Amino acid sequence: MNKLAGLALLGTLITLTGCEDANEVKEDAKDKSAQMQEKLGDAWNDVKETTNDLKNDESLNELLEQSKKMGLDMYDDGKEIAVDAWVKSKEAAGELTEKTKQKAQEIADEIEQARKEHNEG
C-alpha cells in the first residue's frame, strides 16, 4: 500500500510540476507577446513620425516640385522635338516626291526626245 501511495504521490508531483512548467510557458509567452506588441507599436510610431517629418520637410517638398517641373519640361521638350521631326519628315517626303516627279518628267522627256529622233531618222 505504501508503494501505491508513493506512486500516486509521485504522479501528483509530476503533474503539479508539469502544470507549473505549463503555467511558466504561458506566462513567458504572454510576456514575449506583450514585448513584441510594444516593439511593433514603437516601430509603427517611428514610421508615422518619419512620414510626418518627410511631409513637413521643405527641402523634400522643393525637390519633389523641381522633379515634377523637370519632368513636365522634358515632356514638353520631347513633344516639341517629336513635332519638329514629324514636320521635317513630311517636308523631306514632299521634297522626295518633288524630286521623283522631276526625275520622272526628265525620263519622259528623254523618251519623247528619243522617239522623235527615231521617227525622224
Side-chain angles (χ1 to χ4, degrees), residues 10-72:
L10 183 59
T12 304
L13 284 174
I14 291 173
T15 302
L16 287 174
T17 303
C19 287
E20 286 178 18
D21 288 345
N23 285 335
E24 285 180 26
V25 168
K26 284 182 187 177
E27 288 299 317
D28 192 38
K30 283 182 187 177
D31 289 343
K32 296 290 183 195
S33 177
Q35 289 174 2
M36 186 59 73
Q37 286 179 352
E38 184 179 340
K39 287 181 180 181
L40 285 172
D42 290 345
W44 180 244
N45 286 334
D46 287 347
V47 167
K48 288 193 291 189
E49 286 176 20
T50 302
T51 302
N52 286 336
D53 289 346
L54 289 175
K55 283 182 182 177
N56 296 327
D57 186 359
E58 287 299 318
S59 61
L60 178 63
N61 288 333
E62 288 175 20
L63 180 62
L64 289 173
E65 284 300 316
Q66 288 175 353
S67 296
K68 182 178 174 182
K69 185 180 180 310
M70 189 183 313
L72 290 173

Side-chain angles (χ1 to χ4, degrees), residues 83-102:
V83 168
D84 287 346
W86 180 77
V87 167
K88 287 179 182 175
S89 71
K90 289 295 182 184
E91 288 173 352
E95 288 173 8
L96 179 63
T97 302
E98 190 59 38
K99 286 181 182 178
T100 303
K101 286 179 188 176
Q102 288 175 356

Side-chain angles (χ1 to χ4, degrees), residues 109-121:
D109 291 344
E110 287 177 17
I111 292 172
E112 185 66 30
Q113 184 66 31
R115 278 190 189 152
K116 285 182 184 177
E117 289 176 5
H118 181 67
N119 287 337
E120 291 175 2

